[in-house]
Amino acid sequence: MLKIGIVLGSVRQGRNGEAVANWTYDFATKRNDDVEYEVVDLVDYNLPMLGAAVPEAAQQEAEAAIKGWSEKIASFDGFIFIAPEYNHAVGGAFKNALDYLKPEVSNKAAGFVGYGSLGGTRAHENLRLILGELQVADVRAAVNFSLMTDFENMSVFKPADYHAANANEMLDQVISWSGALKKVREKIAVNA
C-alpha cells in the first residue's frame, strides 16, 4: 500500500490552507484507492531557519522538530503539496522546510494543490524548480483554487465542482508515479 502525505505548506495565521488540505484529504480518501493518505501540517513543526543560530535553550526543541519533520516526510511514498502563493512564489516557511530535506524525498513523486489570486500557479512553478533539485518527480496535473472564485469573501472555502476533474487526474498521476518510484527505491536499496 502506498502512503501519500498531503503536506500543508503554510504557517500563516488565518490561512486558507487548512480548508484546502481537508478538502484534498476528503476528496482523495473517497476515491477508495489502495492508498493511505495523511495530512501533515507544517505548523506542527517549529522548524528554525536553516543555517540560523539557535539559542542554546532552544536547541533541543529545534533538533527534535527537524528530526520529526525528516522522519515524517521520509515515511511517505509520494506527496501532494498544498501550496499557497505568496508574492508570486511558494511561502518562505515552506521553502525553509523543503531545504531541510533531500534523501527523505529523493525518487518520490509530488502533485500540487494551490490557492491564491491565480490559484497558486506561480507557487507550483517555483516548487517544480526546487523539487527538481531534490530529485522529486512532479506530475503535470494540478489543482488551482482561486481566492476570487473558490473562496467567499476570500476566506470561506467553496470550491467549484469542476476542480474534481483536475484533482482526479492529479491523484492518478501521483499514485502511478509514486508506485513506479517505490520500485526504483527498492531496487536501489537491494543494490546498495
Side-chain angles (χ1 to χ4, degrees), residues 50-98:
L50 184 68
V54 177
E56 189 173 329
Q59 285 180 0
Q60 189 173 13
E61 181 182 336
E63 289 170 10
I66 294 165
K67 184 176 189 279
W69 171 247
S70 172
E71 289 173 351
K72 177 54 73 178
I73 295 302
S75 74
F76 296 111
D77 297 303
F79 309 96
I80 299 165
F81 291 124
I82 310 298
E85 183 176 317
Y86 299 143
N87 299 318
H88 293 210
V90 66
F94 193 23
K95 171 64 167 81
N96 182 62
L98 291 171

Side-chain angles (χ1 to χ4, degrees), residues 4-6 20 23-25 27-28 31 33 37 79-82 109-114 124 128 137-145 163-178:
I4 305 292
I6 299 171
V20 174
W23 180 92
T24 304
Y25 176 83
F27 187 92
R31 287 171 33 113
D33 297 315
Y37 294 97
F79 309 96
I80 299 165
F81 291 124
I82 310 298
F112 307 127
V113 176
H124 295 176
R128 291 182 198 285
D138 59 273
V139 302
R140 184 194 60 77
V143 183
N144 304 89
F145 294 113
H163 292 293
N166 286 340
N168 277 319
E169 186 177 1
M170 182 268 301
L171 287 165
D172 288 345
Q173 291 175 9
V174 169
I175 291 167
S176 176
W177 279 94
S178 294

